Structures are given as structure tokens and as C-alpha cells.
Amino acid sequence: MANIAISSTQNTKVKQASGLRLKRSREQSQRFVIDYYRDLERALEQNYQIDYAFFCEELASDGD
């Protein structure tokens, strides 16, 4: 999976992920958003397919 910098909220993937906050969108697309690392680990353990992931380096840093 390639790392691509996203600099706009108008990005197609960002729009798709935002739409999944609505139950109707989740049901129609049969997809959902995982917000926390622990939940991602659980999904992977259950063999869920991950379509794409967003990662913010600034938020993930521990301040070092």
C-alpha cells in the first residue's frame, strides 16, 4: 500500500470515510470506519479486508 499525502478534505477517500459516519451509508456500502488501533488489530485478527487507512504522523507521535 502506497503512502499518499492528503492535504484536502475534498479528497475522494476522505469524503467516502466521512460519509460512513451515517448509518445509511454504512449499510449501503457494507463498510465501516475503525477509529482506534486496538479495534484495527481486532478486525485484522478476524480477517476483515482493509480498503485503506488514514494516519496522521503528528497525532501519533509521542512528543519526542
Side-chain angles (χ1 to χ4, degrees), residues 8-41:
S8 171
T9 57
Q10 298 305 311
N11 179 283
T12 303
K13 299 282 188 205
V14 172
K15 286 183 176 181
Q16 289 174 350
S18 294
L20 294 175
R21 298 292 178 191
L22 301 172
K23 181 179 180 180
R24 182 177 184 167
S25 293
R26 290 191 304 272
E27 289 175 346
Q28 287 177 345
S29 67
Q30 296 184 354
R31 294 182 173 162
F32 56 92
V33 173
I34 298 173
D35 290 318
Y36 300 102
Y37 183 75
R38 181 181 67 175
D39 295 334
L40 176 60
E41 286 181 321

Side-chain angles (χ1 to χ4, degrees), residues 1-6 11 13 50-55:
M1 186 179 294
N3 291 334
I4 300 170
I6 297 175
N11 179 283
K13 299 282 188 205
I50 307 301
D51 293 329
Y52 49 90
F54 297 102
F55 175 78

